[in-house]
Amino acid sequence: MSFEDDLKDVSDSIGKLVDNAVNSQNFQELNQKISDTINQFVYPNRQGPFRANGTQDPSRGSSADTSSRGQPSSHNDTAQQTGPHHYSYGPGGTMPGKEKNPVPRPSAPHFNPNPSNAVPDWNARTKERRLLRERFMPTTDLALVGGFQTAAGWGVTGLFGCCTALGLYSFFAVSDGSALIPSLIFAAFTIGGGILLKKGSKNRRLVRHFRQICTLIGTKEFISTKELCDSMHCEKGELLTDITTMIEKSMLRQGHLDENGTCLMVTNDCYSQYRALLESQKEQQLAAQRAREQLEASGMTPEYQQMLTECEAYLQKIHQCNLDLPGEVITAKLSRLETVVTRILAEAKKRPKEAAKLRKFMDYYMPTTWKLLDAYHSFEQEAIQSDNILRTKKEIEDTLDTINAAFEKLLDDLFQTTAWDISSDISVLQTMLAQEGLTNQAGPSTQDMEPLHM
């Protein structure tokens, strides 16, 4: 920590003490507090109040000092006094501010009746300044360069612009051909001055935005660019351009932008965490993509899974309806329906590639069947069983026989592919056994080659 930084902290502390005294209209201890702050800076190893010249204030000493005030005392008597601010001096009794510094005796800490006006924590301030120096580059040089470029640009542009105008006037109005070449030279200098002026304005704006960013982010490790735009009242594109320039010029020593330009990170640790999170998200996306590809390859797509889930929900409703209905006829038919549907769903989970055969079963047959059973259950709850209700219930019962037969045929069709595969395996096995001479037959007969039917 440099001497200028410490001196600035002392100035800030004295300013706060004066502001507190003005706000509270209490100036009684202002002089003493300012003296304590200055002596704490000059003599950081001492404790207690001092006069401005570095000597101890006897009015703030112990009771022993007060009782002996005005009486002569020797150096030994002074060394034997006790109190929170007593010191024993080195060889020769050197006073504070002389060649040798006094050696403080162990004593009780000084009591500050007003903690709000206490001397600031130098270690915390030092740590904060060190932290800011690690993250942000001083911009004094760039500010001076920008100011010089702006001033020089204005001067060159104004001077040579006037010369260019006069040369062109001489060339066109007076028809002086010798003024053309000087006019072109002056015009080139004018353009150069304009370029210099633009660079100076850009550097000044860059310094202004950089200082605003430092103020807004403080000791935080990241900040959103939206918050910066709202606080700085600038466009996002302009801000991102300036931040990119700051990173390139190492003004933000550890500065990084995220991929979308939505967050500014000013520490390498924060950026490392961001990169780790980004890699983790990419791995999760790749894993999810591979899982979807595997499901699509097997036929178990999300749409197919959703249809299975809906059919299982209809099956639960059918089971509950069977428990609620007391009739033996309807109960037997519903039990048969439950068994067939359960087998179909079990095979559908094993054979997702057979989705084309089961789509109509899942999308139409099951919802319609449940609609009929729900109506039957409603009619069963009616207190008066009229002829229309009885006739409708009978039609639903007969329809259930048709539905059960259709669903059993659908289940048989699901097993047909398996039956063909088994028949083919049997035929190949019989042929191989015959070729090896392990059977009495030379080969499988035509009857053996026919597929099995279930």
Side-chain angles (χ1 to χ4, degrees), residues 336-371:
R336 179 185 173 190
L337 179 63
E338 279 187 65
T339 302
V340 176
V341 172
T342 301
R343 291 296 309 278
I344 290 175
L345 291 180
E347 293 300 321
K349 293 179 181 179
K350 298 178 182 178
R351 311 166 190 268
K353 294 184 178 181
E354 303 291 334
K357 298 180 181 179
L358 299 174
R359 186 171 297 278
K360 186 176 291 186
F361 165 78
M362 296 180 180
D363 290 344
Y364 180 75
Y365 292 153
M366 287 299 295
T368 304
T369 301
W370 166 245
K371 184 177 180 181

PDB file of all heavy atoms in Angstrom, residues 336-371:
ATOM      1  N   ARG A 336     -62.771 -59.806 -18.443  1.00  0.00           N
ATOM      2  CA  ARG A 336     -62.157 -60.275 -19.685  1.00  0.00           C
ATOM      3  C   ARG A 336     -61.489 -59.115 -20.432  1.00  0.00           C
ATOM      4  O   ARG A 336     -60.369 -59.261 -20.946  1.00  0.00           O
ATOM      5  CB  ARG A 336     -63.232 -60.924 -20.549  1.00  0.00           C
ATOM      6  CG  ARG A 336     -62.729 -61.443 -21.884  1.00  0.00           C
ATOM      7  CD  ARG A 336     -63.899 -61.959 -22.715  1.00  0.00           C
ATOM      8  NE  ARG A 336     -63.476 -62.319 -24.064  1.00  0.00           N
ATOM      9  CZ  ARG A 336     -64.337 -62.604 -25.046  1.00  0.00           C
ATOM     10  NH1 ARG A 336     -65.676 -62.563 -24.791  1.00  0.00           N
ATOM     11  NH2 ARG A 336     -63.884 -62.917 -26.255  1.00  0.00           N
ATOM     12  N   LEU A 337     -62.160 -57.960 -20.446  1.00  0.00           N
ATOM     13  CA  LEU A 337     -61.600 -56.780 -21.125  1.00  0.00           C
ATOM     14  C   LEU A 337     -60.309 -56.322 -20.443  1.00  0.00           C
ATOM     15  O   LEU A 337     -59.329 -55.978 -21.116  1.00  0.00           O
ATOM     16  CB  LEU A 337     -62.631 -55.650 -21.116  1.00  0.00           C
ATOM     17  CG  LEU A 337     -62.193 -54.332 -21.768  1.00  0.00           C
ATOM     18  CD1 LEU A 337     -61.915 -54.528 -23.245  1.00  0.00           C
ATOM     19  CD2 LEU A 337     -63.262 -53.259 -21.568  1.00  0.00           C
ATOM     20  N   GLU A 338     -60.309 -56.324 -19.117  1.00  0.00           N
ATOM     21  CA  GLU A 338     -59.092 -55.934 -18.382  1.00  0.00           C
ATOM     22  C   GLU A 338     -57.911 -56.832 -18.729  1.00  0.00           C
ATOM     23  O   GLU A 338     -56.786 -56.362 -18.954  1.00  0.00           O
ATOM     24  CB  GLU A 338     -59.359 -56.005 -16.870  1.00  0.00           C
ATOM     25  CG  GLU A 338     -60.084 -54.807 -16.290  1.00  0.00           C
ATOM     26  CD  GLU A 338     -60.139 -54.884 -14.778  1.00  0.00           C
ATOM     27  OE1 GLU A 338     -59.055 -54.829 -14.135  1.00  0.00           O
ATOM     28  OE2 GLU A 338     -61.229 -55.016 -14.229  1.00  0.00           O
ATOM     29  N   THR A 339     -58.168 -58.133 -18.783  1.00  0.00           N
ATOM     30  CA  THR A 339     -57.091 -59.078 -19.060  1.00  0.00           C
ATOM     31  C   THR A 339     -56.506 -58.858 -20.454  1.00  0.00           C
ATOM     32  O   THR A 339     -55.278 -58.825 -20.642  1.00  0.00           O
ATOM     33  CB  THR A 339     -57.616 -60.513 -18.932  1.00  0.00           C
ATOM     34  OG1 THR A 339     -58.156 -60.712 -17.611  1.00  0.00           O
ATOM     35  CG2 THR A 339     -56.514 -61.517 -19.187  1.00  0.00           C
ATOM     36  N   VAL A 340     -57.385 -58.669 -21.450  1.00  0.00           N
ATOM     37  CA  VAL A 340     -56.909 -58.494 -22.824  1.00  0.00           C
ATOM     38  C   VAL A 340     -56.134 -57.190 -22.969  1.00  0.00           C
ATOM     39  O   VAL A 340     -55.052 -57.156 -23.579  1.00  0.00           O
ATOM     40  CB  VAL A 340     -58.105 -58.542 -23.799  1.00  0.00           C
ATOM     41  CG1 VAL A 340     -57.634 -58.250 -25.222  1.00  0.00           C
ATOM     42  CG2 VAL A 340     -58.782 -59.897 -23.744  1.00  0.00           C
ATOM     43  N   VAL A 341     -56.666 -56.114 -22.411  1.00  0.00           N
ATOM     44  CA  VAL A 341     -56.000 -54.809 -22.535  1.00  0.00           C
ATOM     45  C   VAL A 341     -54.644 -54.841 -21.820  1.00  0.00           C
ATOM     46  O   VAL A 341     -53.657 -54.270 -22.308  1.00  0.00           O
ATOM     47  CB  VAL A 341     -56.901 -53.697 -21.989  1.00  0.00           C
ATOM     48  CG1 VAL A 341     -56.140 -52.367 -21.927  1.00  0.00           C
ATOM     49  CG2 VAL A 341     -58.141 -53.541 -22.852  1.00  0.00           C
ATOM     50  N   THR A 342     -54.584 -55.498 -20.654  1.00  0.00           N
ATOM     51  CA  THR A 342     -53.312 -55.582 -19.925  1.00  0.00           C
ATOM     52  C   THR A 342     -52.260 -56.310 -20.758  1.00  0.00           C
ATOM     53  O   THR A 342     -51.096 -55.888 -20.823  1.00  0.00           O
ATOM     54  CB  THR A 342     -53.532 -56.318 -18.590  1.00  0.00           C
ATOM     55  OG1 THR A 342     -54.512 -55.604 -17.810  1.00  0.00           O
ATOM     56  CG2 THR A 342     -52.234 -56.387 -17.817  1.00  0.00           C
ATOM     57  N   ARG A 343     -52.671 -57.413 -21.452  1.00  0.00           N
ATOM     58  CA  ARG A 343     -51.722 -58.144 -22.294  1.00  0.00           C
ATOM     59  C   ARG A 343     -51.284 -57.303 -23.497  1.00  0.00           C
ATOM     60  O   ARG A 343     -50.124 -57.330 -23.899  1.00  0.00           O
ATOM     61  CB  ARG A 343     -52.359 -59.452 -22.771  1.00  0.00           C
ATOM     62  CG  ARG A 343     -52.579 -60.481 -21.669  1.00  0.00           C
ATOM     63  CD  ARG A 343     -51.259 -60.937 -21.083  1.00  0.00           C
ATOM     64  NE  ARG A 343     -50.315 -61.352 -22.093  1.00  0.00           N
ATOM     65  CZ  ARG A 343     -50.310 -62.568 -22.673  1.00  0.00           C
ATOM     66  NH1 ARG A 343     -51.191 -63.486 -22.279  1.00  0.00           N
ATOM     67  NH2 ARG A 343     -49.399 -62.868 -23.570  1.00  0.00           N
ATOM     68  N   ILE A 344     -52.221 -56.548 -24.062  1.00  0.00           N
ATOM     69  CA  ILE A 344     -51.878 -55.712 -25.222  1.00  0.00           C
ATOM     70  C   ILE A 344     -50.867 -54.649 -24.826  1.00  0.00           C
ATOM     71  O   ILE A 344     -49.879 -54.406 -25.531  1.00  0.00           O
ATOM     72  CB  ILE A 344     -53.152 -55.070 -25.817  1.00  0.00           C
ATOM     73  CG1 ILE A 344     -54.022 -56.137 -26.490  1.00  0.00           C
ATOM     74  CG2 ILE A 344     -52.782 -53.986 -26.825  1.00  0.00           C
ATOM     75  CD1 ILE A 344     -55.338 -55.613 -26.994  1.00  0.00           C
ATOM     76  N   LEU A 345     -51.077 -54.017 -23.676  1.00  0.00           N
ATOM     77  CA  LEU A 345     -50.149 -52.973 -23.228  1.00  0.00           C
ATOM     78  C   LEU A 345     -48.785 -53.561 -22.899  1.00  0.00           C
ATOM     79  O   LEU A 345     -47.747 -52.935 -23.158  1.00  0.00           O
ATOM     80  CB  LEU A 345     -50.727 -52.253 -22.005  1.00  0.00           C
ATOM     81  CG  LEU A 345     -51.966 -51.387 -22.268  1.00  0.00           C
ATOM     82  CD1 LEU A 345     -52.433 -50.733 -20.972  1.00  0.00           C
ATOM     83  CD2 LEU A 345     -51.674 -50.325 -23.306  1.00  0.00           C
ATOM     84  N   ALA A 346     -48.765 -54.750 -22.327  1.00  0.00           N
ATOM     85  CA  ALA A 346     -47.479 -55.390 -22.025  1.00  0.00           C
ATOM     86  C   ALA A 346     -46.702 -55.674 -23.307  1.00  0.00           C
ATOM     87  O   ALA A 346     -45.484 -55.452 -23.386  1.00  0.00           O
ATOM     88  CB  ALA A 346     -47.710 -56.671 -21.237  1.00  0.00           C
ATOM     89  N   GLU A 347     -47.408 -56.163 -24.339  1.00  0.00           N
ATOM     90  CA  GLU A 347     -46.739 -56.425 -25.612  1.00  0.00           C
ATOM     91  C   GLU A 347     -46.360 -55.123 -26.317  1.00  0.00           C
ATOM     92  O   GLU A 347     -45.346 -55.062 -27.021  1.00  0.00           O
ATOM     93  CB  GLU A 347     -47.652 -57.271 -26.515  1.00  0.00           C
ATOM     94  CG  GLU A 347     -47.883 -58.676 -26.011  1.00  0.00           C
ATOM     95  CD  GLU A 347     -46.576 -59.451 -25.892  1.00  0.00           C
ATOM     96  OE1 GLU A 347     -45.708 -59.294 -26.775  1.00  0.00           O
ATOM     97  OE2 GLU A 347     -46.427 -60.210 -24.915  1.00  0.00           O
ATOM     98  N   ALA A 348     -47.160 -54.089 -26.117  1.00  0.00           N
ATOM     99  CA  ALA A 348     -46.853 -52.806 -26.749  1.00  0.00           C
ATOM    100  C   ALA A 348     -45.561 -52.215 -26.187  1.00  0.00           C
ATOM    101  O   ALA A 348     -44.802 -51.563 -26.912  1.00  0.00           O
ATOM    102  CB  ALA A 348     -48.011 -51.829 -26.546  1.00  0.00           C
ATOM    103  N   LYS A 349     -45.298 -52.434 -24.902  1.00  0.00           N
ATOM    104  CA  LYS A 349     -44.048 -51.957 -24.317  1.00  0.00           C
ATOM    105  C   LYS A 349     -42.852 -52.739 -24.828  1.00  0.00           C
ATOM    106  O   LYS A 349     -41.754 -52.195 -24.964  1.00  0.00           O
ATOM    107  CB  LYS A 349     -44.126 -52.060 -22.786  1.00  0.00           C
ATOM    108  CG  LYS A 349     -45.143 -51.118 -22.167  1.00  0.00           C
ATOM    109  CD  LYS A 349     -45.196 -51.294 -20.655  1.00  0.00           C
ATOM    110  CE  LYS A 349     -46.231 -50.366 -20.030  1.00  0.00           C
ATOM    111  NZ  LYS A 349     -46.309 -50.550 -18.554  1.00  0.00           N
ATOM    112  N   LYS A 350     -43.065 -54.041 -25.143  1.00  0.00           N
ATOM    113  CA  LYS A 350     -41.970 -54.849 -25.654  1.00  0.00           C
ATOM    114  C   LYS A 350     -41.717 -54.591 -27.135  1.00  0.00           C
ATOM    115  O   LYS A 350     -40.618 -54.798 -27.619  1.00  0.00           O
ATOM    116  CB  LYS A 350     -42.270 -56.336 -25.445  1.00  0.00           C
ATOM    117  CG  LYS A 350     -42.406 -56.746 -23.989  1.00  0.00           C
ATOM    118  CD  LYS A 350     -42.761 -58.217 -23.894  1.00  0.00           C
ATOM    119  CE  LYS A 350     -42.963 -58.663 -22.450  1.00  0.00           C
ATOM    120  NZ  LYS A 350     -43.358 -60.081 -22.363  1.00  0.00           N
ATOM    121  N   ARG A 351     -42.766 -54.170 -27.867  1.00  0.00           N
ATOM    122  CA  ARG A 351     -42.661 -54.020 -29.316  1.00  0.00           C
ATOM    123  C   ARG A 351     -43.031 -52.596 -29.722  1.00  0.00           C
ATOM    124  O   ARG A 351     -44.087 -52.361 -30.306  1.00  0.00           O
ATOM    125  CB  ARG A 351     -43.598 -54.996 -30.032  1.00  0.00           C
ATOM    126  CG  ARG A 351     -43.504 -56.424 -29.530  1.00  0.00           C
ATOM    127  CD  ARG A 351     -44.682 -57.232 -30.044  1.00  0.00           C
ATOM    128  NE  ARG A 351     -44.747 -58.526 -29.394  1.00  0.00           N
ATOM    129  CZ  ARG A 351     -44.169 -59.609 -29.886  1.00  0.00           C
ATOM    130  NH1 ARG A 351     -43.471 -59.543 -30.994  1.00  0.00           N
ATOM    131  NH2 ARG A 351     -44.278 -60.762 -29.268  1.00  0.00           N
ATOM    132  N   PRO A 352     -42.192 -51.636 -29.389  1.00  0.00           N
ATOM    133  CA  PRO A 352     -42.534 -50.261 -29.765  1.00  0.00           C
ATOM    134  C   PRO A 352     -42.579 -50.033 -31.268  1.00  0.00           C
ATOM    135  O   PRO A 352     -43.209 -49.094 -31.745  1.00  0.00           O
ATOM    136  CB  PRO A 352     -41.409 -49.438 -29.121  1.00  0.00           C
ATOM    137  CG  PRO A 352     -40.290 -50.395 -28.920  1.00  0.00           C
ATOM    138  CD  PRO A 352     -40.922 -51.719 -28.668  1.00  0.00           C
ATOM    139  N   LYS A 353     -41.881 -50.929 -32.051  1.00  0.00           N
ATOM    140  CA  LYS A 353     -41.918 -50.760 -33.497  1.00  0.00           C
ATOM    141  C   LYS A 353     -43.264 -51.152 -34.100  1.00  0.00           C
ATOM    142  O   LYS A 353     -43.510 -50.903 -35.279  1.00  0.00           O
ATOM    143  CB  LYS A 353     -40.803 -51.590 -34.140  1.00  0.00           C
ATOM    144  CG  LYS A 353     -39.404 -51.096 -33.783  1.00  0.00           C
ATOM    145  CD  LYS A 353     -38.342 -51.870 -34.513  1.00  0.00           C
ATOM    146  CE  LYS A 353     -36.948 -51.340 -34.176  1.00  0.00           C
ATOM    147  NZ  LYS A 353     -35.875 -52.071 -34.896  1.00  0.00           N
ATOM    148  N   GLU A 354     -44.120 -51.783 -33.306  1.00  0.00           N
ATOM    149  CA  GLU A 354     -45.460 -52.135 -33.768  1.00  0.00           C
ATOM    150  C   GLU A 354     -46.448 -51.003 -33.498  1.00  0.00           C
ATOM    151  O   GLU A 354     -47.657 -51.232 -33.382  1.00  0.00           O
ATOM    152  CB  GLU A 354     -45.941 -53.405 -33.051  1.00  0.00           C
ATOM    153  CG  GLU A 354     -45.039 -54.601 -33.228  1.00  0.00           C
ATOM    154  CD  GLU A 354     -45.067 -55.120 -34.657  1.00  0.00           C
ATOM    155  OE1 GLU A 354     -46.083 -54.901 -35.343  1.00  0.00           O
ATOM    156  OE2 GLU A 354     -44.066 -55.733 -35.079  1.00  0.00           O
ATOM    157  N   ALA A 355     -45.941 -49.777 -33.398  1.00  0.00           N
ATOM    158  CA  ALA A 355     -46.803 -48.647 -33.050  1.00  0.00           C
ATOM    159  C   ALA A 355     -47.875 -48.411 -34.093  1.00  0.00           C
ATOM    160  O   ALA A 355     -48.977 -47.934 -33.778  1.00  0.00           O
ATOM    161  CB  ALA A 355     -45.959 -47.382 -32.872  1.00  0.00           C
ATOM    162  N   ALA A 356     -47.588 -48.710 -35.367  1.00  0.00           N
ATOM    163  CA  ALA A 356     -48.573 -48.473 -36.424  1.00  0.00           C
ATOM    164  C   ALA A 356     -49.838 -49.303 -36.202  1.00  0.00           C
ATOM    165  O   ALA A 356     -50.960 -48.837 -36.447  1.00  0.00           O
ATOM    166  CB  ALA A 356     -47.957 -48.797 -37.786  1.00  0.00           C
ATOM    167  N   LYS A 357     -49.663 -50.541 -35.710  1.00  0.00           N
ATOM    168  CA  LYS A 357     -50.828 -51.384 -35.453  1.00  0.00           C
ATOM    169  C   LYS A 357     -51.602 -50.938 -34.221  1.00  0.00           C
ATOM    170  O   LYS A 357     -52.820 -51.176 -34.134  1.00  0.00           O
ATOM    171  CB  LYS A 357     -50.383 -52.843 -35.261  1.00  0.00           C
ATOM    172  CG  LYS A 357     -49.715 -53.447 -36.496  1.00  0.00           C
ATOM    173  CD  LYS A 357     -49.316 -54.880 -36.212  1.00  0.00           C
ATOM    174  CE  LYS A 357     -48.630 -55.526 -37.413  1.00  0.00           C
ATOM    175  NZ  LYS A 357     -48.212 -56.924 -37.136  1.00  0.00           N
ATOM    176  N   LEU A 358     -50.914 -50.345 -33.254  1.00  0.00           N
ATOM    177  CA  LEU A 358     -51.559 -50.004 -31.979  1.00  0.00           C
ATOM    178  C   LEU A 358     -52.039 -48.563 -31.909  1.00  0.00           C
ATOM    179  O   LEU A 358     -52.670 -48.178 -30.928  1.00  0.00           O
ATOM    180  CB  LEU A 358     -50.567 -50.253 -30.831  1.00  0.00           C
ATOM    181  CG  LEU A 358     -50.087 -51.689 -30.679  1.00  0.00           C
ATOM    182  CD1 LEU A 358     -49.012 -51.769 -29.618  1.00  0.00           C
ATOM    183  CD2 LEU A 358     -51.258 -52.603 -30.324  1.00  0.00           C
ATOM    184  N   ARG A 359     -51.707 -47.746 -32.913  1.00  0.00           N
ATOM    185  CA  ARG A 359     -52.071 -46.329 -32.817  1.00  0.00           C
ATOM    186  C   ARG A 359     -53.582 -46.141 -32.750  1.00  0.00           C
ATOM    187  O   ARG A 359     -54.085 -45.376 -31.934  1.00  0.00           O
ATOM    188  CB  ARG A 359     -51.479 -45.572 -33.998  1.00  0.00           C
ATOM    189  CG  ARG A 359     -51.685 -44.064 -33.912  1.00  0.00           C
ATOM    190  CD  ARG A 359     -50.890 -43.370 -34.975  1.00  0.00           C
ATOM    191  NE  ARG A 359     -49.466 -43.579 -34.800  1.00  0.00           N
ATOM    192  CZ  ARG A 359     -48.716 -42.872 -33.962  1.00  0.00           C
ATOM    193  NH1 ARG A 359     -49.262 -41.919 -33.212  1.00  0.00           N
ATOM    194  NH2 ARG A 359     -47.426 -43.120 -33.855  1.00  0.00           N
ATOM    195  N   LYS A 360     -54.316 -46.847 -33.620  1.00  0.00           N
ATOM    196  CA  LYS A 360     -55.775 -46.703 -33.612  1.00  0.00           C
ATOM    197  C   LYS A 360     -56.360 -47.277 -32.320  1.00  0.00           C
ATOM    198  O   LYS A 360     -57.340 -46.743 -31.778  1.00  0.00           O
ATOM    199  CB  LYS A 360     -56.376 -47.395 -34.831  1.00  0.00           C
ATOM    200  CG  LYS A 360     -57.881 -47.166 -34.974  1.00  0.00           C
ATOM    201  CD  LYS A 360     -58.425 -47.792 -36.241  1.00  0.00           C
ATOM    202  CE  LYS A 360     -57.915 -47.034 -37.464  1.00  0.00           C
ATOM    203  NZ  LYS A 360     -58.526 -47.531 -38.720  1.00  0.00           N
ATOM    204  N   PHE A 361     -55.748 -48.352 -31.827  1.00  0.00           N
ATOM    205  CA  PHE A 361     -56.220 -48.921 -30.561  1.00  0.00           C
ATOM    206  C   PHE A 361     -56.082 -47.913 -29.425  1.00  0.00           C
ATOM    207  O   PHE A 361     -56.989 -47.761 -28.600  1.00  0.00           O
ATOM    208  CB  PHE A 361     -55.419 -50.191 -30.254  1.00  0.00           C
ATOM    209  CG  PHE A 361     -55.550 -50.683 -28.844  1.00  0.00           C
ATOM    210  CD1 PHE A 361     -56.662 -51.380 -28.432  1.00  0.00           C
ATOM    211  CD2 PHE A 361     -54.537 -50.442 -27.911  1.00  0.00           C
ATOM    212  CE1 PHE A 361     -56.781 -51.832 -27.125  1.00  0.00           C
ATOM    213  CE2 PHE A 361     -54.650 -50.886 -26.611  1.00  0.00           C
ATOM    214  CZ  PHE A 361     -55.775 -51.586 -26.216  1.00  0.00           C
ATOM    215  N   MET A 362     -54.948 -47.214 -29.408  1.00  0.00           N
ATOM    216  CA  MET A 362     -54.702 -46.255 -28.325  1.00  0.00           C
ATOM    217  C   MET A 362     -55.459 -44.948 -28.517  1.00  0.00           C
ATOM    218  O   MET A 362     -55.945 -44.360 -27.550  1.00  0.00           O
ATOM    219  CB  MET A 362     -53.198 -45.967 -28.227  1.00  0.00           C
ATOM    220  CG  MET A 362     -52.355 -47.165 -27.848  1.00  0.00           C
ATOM    221  SD  MET A 362     -50.596 -46.766 -27.757  1.00  0.00           S
ATOM    222  CE  MET A 362     -49.886 -48.335 -27.310  1.00  0.00           C
ATOM    223  N   ASP A 363     -55.542 -44.485 -29.760  1.00  0.00           N
ATOM    224  CA  ASP A 363     -56.135 -43.173 -30.003  1.00  0.00           C
ATOM    225  C   ASP A 363     -57.664 -43.199 -30.067  1.00  0.00           C
ATOM    226  O   ASP A 363     -58.308 -42.184 -29.764  1.00  0.00           O
ATOM    227  CB  ASP A 363     -55.600 -42.592 -31.318  1.00  0.00           C
ATOM    228  CG  ASP A 363     -54.140 -42.202 -31.197  1.00  0.00           C
ATOM    229  OD1 ASP A 363     -53.650 -42.101 -30.052  1.00  0.00           O
ATOM    230  OD2 ASP A 363     -53.487 -42.014 -32.238  1.00  0.00           O
ATOM    231  N   TYR A 364     -58.245 -44.334 -30.454  1.00  0.00           N
ATOM    232  CA  TYR A 364     -59.711 -44.347 -30.665  1.00  0.00           C
ATOM    233  C   TYR A 364     -60.427 -45.424 -29.861  1.00  0.00           C
ATOM    234  O   TYR A 364     -61.397 -45.143 -29.160  1.00  0.00           O
ATOM    235  CB  TYR A 364     -60.008 -44.530 -32.154  1.00  0.00           C
ATOM    236  CG  TYR A 364     -61.496 -44.554 -32.444  1.00  0.00           C
ATOM    237  CD1 TYR A 364     -62.255 -43.381 -32.414  1.00  0.00           C
ATOM    238  CD2 TYR A 364     -62.142 -45.757 -32.735  1.00  0.00           C
ATOM    239  CE1 TYR A 364     -63.618 -43.415 -32.664  1.00  0.00           C
ATOM    240  CE2 TYR A 364     -63.506 -45.796 -32.991  1.00  0.00           C
ATOM    241  CZ  TYR A 364     -64.236 -44.617 -32.950  1.00  0.00           C
ATOM    242  OH  TYR A 364     -65.589 -44.649 -33.194  1.00  0.00           O
ATOM    243  N   TYR A 365     -59.932 -46.667 -29.967  1.00  0.00           N
ATOM    244  CA  TYR A 365     -60.670 -47.765 -29.334  1.00  0.00           C
ATOM    245  C   TYR A 365     -60.764 -47.604 -27.825  1.00  0.00           C
ATOM    246  O   TYR A 365     -61.852 -47.761 -27.238  1.00  0.00           O
ATOM    247  CB  TYR A 365     -60.014 -49.112 -29.683  1.00  0.00           C
ATOM    248  CG  TYR A 365     -60.136 -49.492 -31.135  1.00  0.00           C
ATOM    249  CD1 TYR A 365     -59.197 -50.314 -31.747  1.00  0.00           C
ATOM    250  CD2 TYR A 365     -61.195 -49.019 -31.911  1.00  0.00           C
ATOM    251  CE1 TYR A 365     -59.291 -50.658 -33.078  1.00  0.00           C
ATOM    252  CE2 TYR A 365     -61.302 -49.353 -33.245  1.00  0.00           C
ATOM    253  CZ  TYR A 365     -60.345 -50.168 -33.822  1.00  0.00           C
ATOM    254  OH  TYR A 365     -60.446 -50.500 -35.145  1.00  0.00           O
ATOM    255  N   MET A 366     -59.657 -47.339 -27.177  1.00  0.00           N
ATOM    256  CA  MET A 366     -59.680 -47.215 -25.721  1.00  0.00           C
ATOM    257  C   MET A 366     -60.527 -46.042 -25.234  1.00  0.00           C
ATOM    258  O   MET A 366     -61.349 -46.206 -24.315  1.00  0.00           O
ATOM    259  CB  MET A 366     -58.249 -47.104 -25.188  1.00  0.00           C
ATOM    260  CG  MET A 366     -57.465 -48.411 -25.231  1.00  0.00           C
ATOM    261  SD  MET A 366     -58.219 -49.716 -24.230  1.00  0.00           S
ATOM    262  CE  MET A 366     -58.044 -49.034 -22.600  1.00  0.00           C
ATOM    263  N   PRO A 367     -60.391 -44.826 -25.781  1.00  0.00           N
ATOM    264  CA  PRO A 367     -61.277 -43.729 -25.324  1.00  0.00           C
ATOM    265  C   PRO A 367     -62.753 -44.027 -25.561  1.00  0.00           C
ATOM    266  O   PRO A 367     -63.604 -43.707 -24.708  1.00  0.00           O
ATOM    267  CB  PRO A 367     -60.791 -42.524 -26.156  1.00  0.00           C
ATOM    268  CG  PRO A 367     -59.401 -42.841 -26.534  1.00  0.00           C
ATOM    269  CD  PRO A 367     -59.370 -44.333 -26.731  1.00  0.00           C
ATOM    270  N   THR A 368     -63.073 -44.632 -26.717  1.00  0.00           N
ATOM    271  CA  THR A 368     -64.482 -44.920 -27.006  1.00  0.00           C
ATOM    272  C   THR A 368     -65.032 -45.984 -26.064  1.00  0.00           C
ATOM    273  O   THR A 368     -66.183 -45.892 -25.587  1.00  0.00           O
ATOM    274  CB  THR A 368     -64.624 -45.385 -28.470  1.00  0.00           C
ATOM    275  OG1 THR A 368     -64.064 -44.389 -29.338  1.00  0.00           O
ATOM    276  CG2 THR A 368     -66.085 -45.587 -28.825  1.00  0.00           C
ATOM    277  N   THR A 369     -64.215 -47.007 -25.780  1.00  0.00           N
ATOM    278  CA  THR A 369     -64.659 -48.046 -24.839  1.00  0.00           C
ATOM    279  C   THR A 369     -64.931 -47.456 -23.465  1.00  0.00           C
ATOM    280  O   THR A 369     -65.947 -47.787 -22.818  1.00  0.00           O
ATOM    281  CB  THR A 369     -63.587 -49.141 -24.739  1.00  0.00           C
ATOM    282  OG1 THR A 369     -63.361 -49.700 -26.032  1.00  0.00           O
ATOM    283  CG2 THR A 369     -64.020 -50.230 -23.780  1.00  0.00           C
ATOM    284  N   TRP A 370     -64.053 -46.600 -23.018  1.00  0.00           N
ATOM    285  CA  TRP A 370     -64.278 -45.995 -21.710  1.00  0.00           C
ATOM    286  C   TRP A 370     -65.518 -45.093 -21.726  1.00  0.00           C
ATOM    287  O   TRP A 370     -66.247 -45.014 -20.734  1.00  0.00           O
ATOM    288  CB  TRP A 370     -63.056 -45.187 -21.271  1.00  0.00           C
ATOM    289  CG  TRP A 370     -63.372 -44.293 -20.105  1.00  0.00           C
ATOM    290  CD1 TRP A 370     -63.371 -42.947 -20.058  1.00  0.00           C
ATOM    291  CD2 TRP A 370     -63.801 -44.724 -18.812  1.00  0.00           C
ATOM    292  NE1 TRP A 370     -63.759 -42.483 -18.835  1.00  0.00           N
ATOM    293  CE2 TRP A 370     -64.018 -43.564 -18.033  1.00  0.00           C
ATOM    294  CE3 TRP A 370     -64.017 -45.982 -18.223  1.00  0.00           C
ATOM    295  CZ2 TRP A 370     -64.441 -43.614 -16.716  1.00  0.00           C
ATOM    296  CZ3 TRP A 370     -64.444 -46.030 -16.900  1.00  0.00           C
ATOM    297  CH2 TRP A 370     -64.643 -44.857 -16.162  1.00  0.00           C
ATOM    298  N   LYS A 371     -65.779 -44.424 -22.826  1.00  0.00           N
ATOM    299  CA  LYS A 371     -66.978 -43.581 -22.917  1.00  0.00           C
ATOM    300  C   LYS A 371     -68.236 -44.418 -22.747  1.00  0.00           C
ATOM    301  O   LYS A 371     -69.188 -44.015 -22.043  1.00  0.00           O
ATOM    302  CB  LYS A 371     -66.977 -42.870 -24.269  1.00  0.00           C
ATOM    303  CG  LYS A 371     -68.122 -41.884 -24.442  1.00  0.00           C
ATOM    304  CD  LYS A 371     -68.010 -41.166 -25.790  1.00  0.00           C
ATOM    305  CE  LYS A 371     -69.170 -40.183 -25.962  1.00  0.00           C
ATOM    306  NZ  LYS A 371     -69.088 -39.485 -27.281  1.00  0.00           N
TER     307      LYS A 371
END
